[in-house]
Amino acid sequence: MIAKQTIQDVQDRVDIEDIVSDYVTLKRKGSGKYLWACCPFHDEKTPSFSITPDRGIYKCFGCGRSGDSINFVMEHDGLNYVETIRHLAKKYGIEIIEDEQTDEQLAEQNEKDSLYIILNYANEFFKKQLKESEEGKSIGLSYFKERGFDTQIIEKFELGYSLDTWDGLLQEALKNAYNEDLLEKAGLIVKKEDKKYDRFRGRVIFPIHNVTGKVVAFGARTLKKDDKPKYLNSPESEVYHKSKVLYGLFQAKNSIRQQDNCYLVEGYTDVISLHQSDIENVVSSSGTSLTDEQIKLISRFSQNITVLFDGDAAGIKASLRGIDMILEAGMNVRVVVFPEGEDPDSYSKQLGTSAFKSYLEENIIDFISFKASLYAEESAKDPLKKAQSIKEIISSIAKIPDGIKRAVYVKESSKMLDIDEGVLVAELNKNLIKERRKDDKKRIEESTGDRLLEELIVETEIQTIDQAAQIRVQERESIRLLINYGLNDIEDEYKLYNYLLTELEDVEFVTPVYKEIFDLFKAKLAEGEIIDGNYLVANGSEKIKHEAINLLTERREISPNWQDKYQIFIPSEKDLLDTVVYTNVARLKFRVIQKLISENLAKMREEKDTEEQDKLFIIHDRLKKSEVELAKVLGIVVSK
């Protein structure tokens, strides 16, 4: 509910160089128009990440990420739009003005803010008990030390301790004027009839942070043998939905992005132990089944997940459904299995940091191969089990959106299961057809007939595809020239945008994003406003913004040394605009004419009526003449 004026103030104030330099070291090269660095979104040794300060945009030519200052913070820190605006407003000292809210909305927002405050208070309380109380030091701190957690790790994860009393937190919170009802809503106390007491008593505390680092809940482990349950978690609240939170993600997100891989484990101590072993790109679903929301959280930082399985066959089988969900999301899944009776926590301590890292690297396998080998062992001597195993493996392969990956996994599974590849392909096709029918049914329910027909056309002539690709190239070039040089003169007082709009008036763009930009330019011009690339970056849709940044950013620059050092003048594109734009328009029209010729020929082949064939032949003759004329302009030879 942040006011538009506040958002505008943030957009006007942010400086892309200032923002990005908080994360990487920027260097100038060439003409100095761009600043370069090794990309903060993927691991690289040669800088391919550039920012354009005067336009306020960034672009990585390695991984393809691009955007403005706000996009950069959202991508890098994993924040949503509102969180990013608040973060940048605070950085630049901009007052956040809220739009008017209904009483209900205001009350809801106030309650959320209050819950964050009270949860933070509880977190500080638990940390203090661990460090300062005799009970906390003798029981809680001793437990953490026994697990091998050093002081730095304890502070990093803000571990704490709750005293073994009925209402220690409650009484302390009330003394500090915290609201009793809010303590209950935050899951910190329990009310039963006339009784009120702390939810967590005599337990070590693991704070659960959201992706921005705010404490939203707690996990608590008892140290008593007869106390049940062993682990006790906060109930869901306005700020905590367990299906949308991953333990350790706040501490791991930067490492996940840098390593381009996320280790997924089961428990809190697994996460912390791996950090202790200098492996920071690790998160936990905290004992719950993996959810779509959690998978999307990881995908903000990497498309690669490595699941670390305890050496327990039953546990592995129980986790397979979650892995299929990761495959369905189009992400890459690999697996490491520990020896029987071991888990990441115990095995990292047993091997030590270096040996444990080596174990992970040497024992990693892709998930489909792992699943095939798992079922191959079980079904080796049982035909019925083998048939069921094939269905299980193929059902997972069918979840993968990428056809090439599916084909590779089918081939590998064929070798492992010792079964003909054709049988697996047939079974895979059954699964795919079944899923496609479900999708088609859904689209029929949601779409108009015309739209559905368009979506279901899957076969196109190769020649038409080639022509469409060639047209897209020229459309892209037209839009690039328009948004970069639209206001430049190509003749005396004759702007480039005037020439392009006039010459392409009858050309219908076929690439949706370029058509959208072209139509927007014309619409704004009709209103008396001439827009450019900067306008598209600031006001366009996400698709337009992304494409505009790609078109505004150059991969290479001409070194100033040619002019300054060697006195060799190399004309820039701006110096040759009239020739560049004229040639591009001719090429675009040439490609469009060729496409029209192909379409007209197809109609001629199908038409049976002689009179209609004659009309089509006349059209063909006119199109060929236009093609020849344009070919002469471009220096291309075509058949007449």
Side-chain angles (χ1 to χ4, degrees):
M1 305 303 292
I2 297 175
K4 288 183 179 178
Q5 185 56 52
T6 299
I7 294 173
Q8 189 61 54
D9 289 344
V10 170
Q11 289 174 335
D12 292 343
R13 177 67 183 83
V14 291
D15 178 271
I16 188 76
E17 184 175 351
D18 181 36
I19 295 293
V20 175
S21 61
D22 285 345
Y23 301 88
V24 294
T25 301
L26 295 165
K27 293 183 179 179
R28 294 185 185 275
K29 64 179 182 180
S31 67
K33 180 181 178 182
Y34 302 104
L35 295 170
W36 295 84
C38 287
C39 181
F41 298 114
H42 77 285
D43 190 24
E44 64 176 10
K45 294 179 180 178
T46 303
S48 63
F49 179 86
S50 76
I51 69 167
T52 314
D54 61 332
R55 295 188 184 275
I57 57 176
Y58 69 90
K59 164 77 177 177
C60 178
F61 293 92
C63 65
R65 291 180 188 260
S66 63
D68 57 14
S69 300
I70 293 172
N71 289 123
F72 181 86
V73 176
M74 288 175 67
E75 288 273 357
H76 192 280
D77 292 349
L79 307 180
N80 62 34
Y81 185 78
V82 174
E83 290 168 341
T84 301
I85 293 295
R86 290 184 182 277
H87 169 78
L88 292 173
K90 183 178 179 181
K91 174 181 174 68
Y92 289 103
I94 297 170
E95 181 185 359
I96 297 175
I97 302 170
E98 307 275 354
D99 278 336
E100 286 190 20
Q101 297 173 284
T102 64
D103 291 341
E104 185 178 340
Q105 289 173 327
L106 192 59
E108 183 180 336
Q109 185 59 49
N110 286 340
E111 182 168 296
K112 282 185 177 180
D113 291 341
S114 298
L115 286 173
Y116 283 128
I117 291 169
I118 209 163
L119 285 162
N120 183 65
Y121 169 79
N123 188 43
E124 295 300 322
F125 177 81
F126 293 139
K127 288 196 295 182
K128 184 177 180 181
Q129 298 308 313
L130 179 71
K131 295 175 184 176
E132 298 182 9
S133 72
E134 289 302 318
E135 183 183 329
K137 288 188 285 186
S138 63
I139 299 176
L141 197 57
S142 295
Y143 168 77
F144 288 136
K145 294 292 185 182
E146 286 171 10
R147 299 301 297 255
F149 301 162
D150 60 29
T151 302
Q152 186 179 356
I153 286 292
I154 291 171
E155 290 178 356
K156 183 177 185 178
F157 286 89
E158 300 190 274
L159 305 181
Y161 181 77
S162 61
L163 296 175
D164 194 9
T165 59
W166 279 100
D167 57 0
L169 173 62
L170 172 61
Q171 293 304 323
E172 193 66 25
L174 292 176
K175 283 181 192 177
N176 286 277
Y178 286 99
N179 183 279
E180 189 177 291
D181 289 336
L182 282 174
L183 286 165
E184 183 183 19
K185 287 179 179 178
L188 295 168
I189 67 168
V190 178
K191 289 184 179 180
K192 283 189 178 179
E193 298 174 355
D194 59 340
K195 295 179 180 178
K196 294 174 287 189
Y197 53 89
D198 293 350
R199 179 177 299 275
F200 309 115
R201 303 180 307 281
R203 292 171 179 262
V204 287
I205 301 291
F206 300 86
I208 299 170
H209 303 80
N210 65 14
V211 73
T212 66
K214 291 181 179 177
V215 175
V216 294
F218 297 96
R221 185 194 192 284
T222 184
L223 302 179
K224 300 175 183 176
K225 291 183 179 179
D226 56 348
D227 200 3
K228 303 291 181 182
K230 183 178 179 181
Y231 278 97
L232 183 62
N233 293 327
S234 295
E236 296 213 340
S237 68
E238 284 295 314
V239 298
Y240 174 57
H241 305 281
K242 61 184 179 181
S243 65
K244 299 179 181 179
V245 176
L246 286 161
Y247 182 76
L249 183 59
F250 170 65
Q251 292 87 352
K253 59 185 181 181
N254 289 336
S255 181
I256 292 171
R257 184 184 290 109
Q258 291 163 4
Q259 302 296 326
D260 195 20
N261 178 46
C262 177
Y263 288 115
L264 182 63
V265 296
E266 187 173 336
Y268 306 131
T269 55
D270 291 330
V271 170
I272 299 170
S273 289
L274 262 62
H275 273 259
Q276 189 80 53
S277 296
D278 200 28
I279 298 169
E280 298 185 339
N281 53 322
V282 55
V283 300
S284 165
S285 58
S286 305
T288 62
S289 298
L290 196 63
T291 66
D292 287 327
E293 290 92 344
Q294 290 171 334
I295 294 169
K296 286 176 184 176
L297 267 179
I298 296 173
S299 70
R300 290 191 198 179
F301 306 99
S302 176
Q303 290 297 304
N304 301 300
I305 296 179
T306 302
V307 184
L308 304 186
F309 281 119
D310 300 351
D312 170 25
I316 293 172
K317 287 284 187 67
S319 301
L320 293 182
R321 172 70 189 108
I323 309 299
D324 280 352
M325 291 167 64
I326 301 173
L327 291 172
E328 199 165 8
M331 298 177 72
N332 305 311
V333 192
R334 294 179 296 177
V335 171
V336 175
V337 180
F338 295 110
E340 189 171 350
E342 299 289 355
D343 58 34
D345 180 22
S346 65
Y347 209 49
S348 63
K349 289 184 177 64
Q350 180 179 322
L351 295 185
T353 299
S354 298
F356 185 72
K357 282 184 175 181
S358 297
Y359 181 86
L360 294 181
E361 292 169 3
E362 294 165 6
N363 290 272
I364 193 168
I365 59 172
D366 69 81
F367 173 70
I368 296 297
S369 299
F370 161 71
K371 190 173 183 179
S373 63
L374 181 71
Y375 282 104
E377 293 173 10
E378 288 189 356
S379 59
K381 298 180 180 179
D382 189 331
L384 292 178
K385 279 189 177 181
K386 187 168 186 175
Q388 185 58 39
S389 298
I390 292 168
K391 291 182 181 295
E392 288 285 347
I393 293 161
I394 292 300
S395 70
S396 290
I397 296 175
K399 302 288 184 187
I400 301 171
D402 188 280
I404 294 175
K405 287 183 183 178
R406 289 199 301 265
V408 170
Y409 283 130
V410 164
K411 187 175 286 292
E412 289 300 314
S413 299
S414 170
K415 294 175 185 175
M416 290 184 184
L417 296 169
D418 191 24
I419 190 168
D420 186 78
E421 189 177 333
V423 175
L424 298 185
V425 170
E427 184 66 26
L428 175 63
N429 287 337
K430 286 181 187 177
N431 278 266
L432 293 175
I433 291 169
K434 186 178 178 181
E435 289 303 314
R436 199 165 292 151
R437 283 174 178 166
K438 285 182 185 177
D439 291 341
D440 289 349
K441 184 179 178 182
K442 185 178 179 182
R443 278 152 55 195
I444 288 170
E445 292 170 354
E446 296 176 352
S447 307
T448 64
D450 288 342
R451 178 182 164 195
L452 179 63
L453 182 63
E454 182 182 341
E455 290 176 348
L456 294 179
I457 294 174
V458 293
E459 293 183 3
T460 309
E461 291 185 20
I462 296 298
Q463 184 182 12
T464 305
I465 292 173
D466 289 343
Q467 288 170 346
Q470 291 166 347
I471 289 172
R472 281 197 296 273
V473 169
Q474 296 310 138
E475 287 181 345
R476 182 184 191 277
E477 182 65 3
S478 298
I479 298 300
R480 186 186 71 81
L481 291 169
L482 181 62
I483 69 175
N484 277 281
Y485 306 111
L487 291 171
N488 287 65
D489 289 329
I490 54 173
E491 295 178 12
D492 290 341
E493 297 185 5
Y494 189 61
K495 306 292 184 188
L496 182 143
Y497 76 82
N498 291 128
Y499 177 78
L500 269 178
L501 295 182
T502 301
E503 289 294 322
L504 300 181
E505 184 177 0
D506 297 327
V507 173
E508 185 71 19
F509 279 70
V510 298
T511 310
V513 68
Y514 301 141
K515 182 180 188 305
E516 193 175 349
I517 293 173
F518 196 68
D519 290 346
L520 179 62
F521 200 100
K522 290 191 292 184
K524 287 294 180 182
L525 188 62
E527 297 171 5
E529 183 182 357
I530 302 170
I531 64 174
D532 59 8
N534 292 337
Y535 177 91
L536 298 177
V537 171
N539 302 285
S541 64
E542 283 304 312
K543 187 178 289 185
I544 285 180
K545 180 186 290 189
H546 178 76
E547 191 61 34
I549 289 169
N550 288 339
L551 298 176
L552 291 169
T553 310
E554 298 174 18
R555 179 66 180 94
R556 293 176 178 85
E557 297 178 83
I558 297 173
S559 171
N561 286 334
W562 292 107
Q563 175 79 26
D564 301 339
K565 191 173 181 179
Y566 304 111
Q567 285 75 53
I568 299 174
F569 175 72
I570 298 176
S572 67
E573 184 175 60
K574 194 179 291 185
D575 298 320
L576 305 171
L577 269 184
D578 53 348
T579 304
V580 172
V581 71
Y582 179 72
T583 303
N584 175 72
V585 167
R587 284 189 183 280
L588 177 55
K589 288 182 176 181
F590 180 72
R591 298 306 181 191
V592 171
I593 291 292
Q594 286 191 316
K595 184 171 182 288
L596 291 173
I597 290 171
S598 296
E599 292 171 351
N600 194 63
L601 282 171
K603 290 178 183 178
M604 290 171 67
R605 285 195 296 268
E606 295 173 5
E607 185 58 59
K608 304 299 181 185
D609 184 83
T610 305
E611 187 176 337
E612 289 298 320
Q613 281 185 338
D614 289 342
K615 290 179 182 178
L616 291 171
F617 184 80
I618 292 171
I619 293 172
H620 177 74
D621 186 55
R622 290 173 180 169
L623 289 172
K624 285 298 291 182
K625 285 178 180 177
S626 297
E627 182 191 29
V628 171
E629 289 301 315
L630 286 167
K632 287 179 182 177
V633 171
L634 296 168
I636 299 172
V637 178
V638 295
S639 60
K640 295 185 179 180

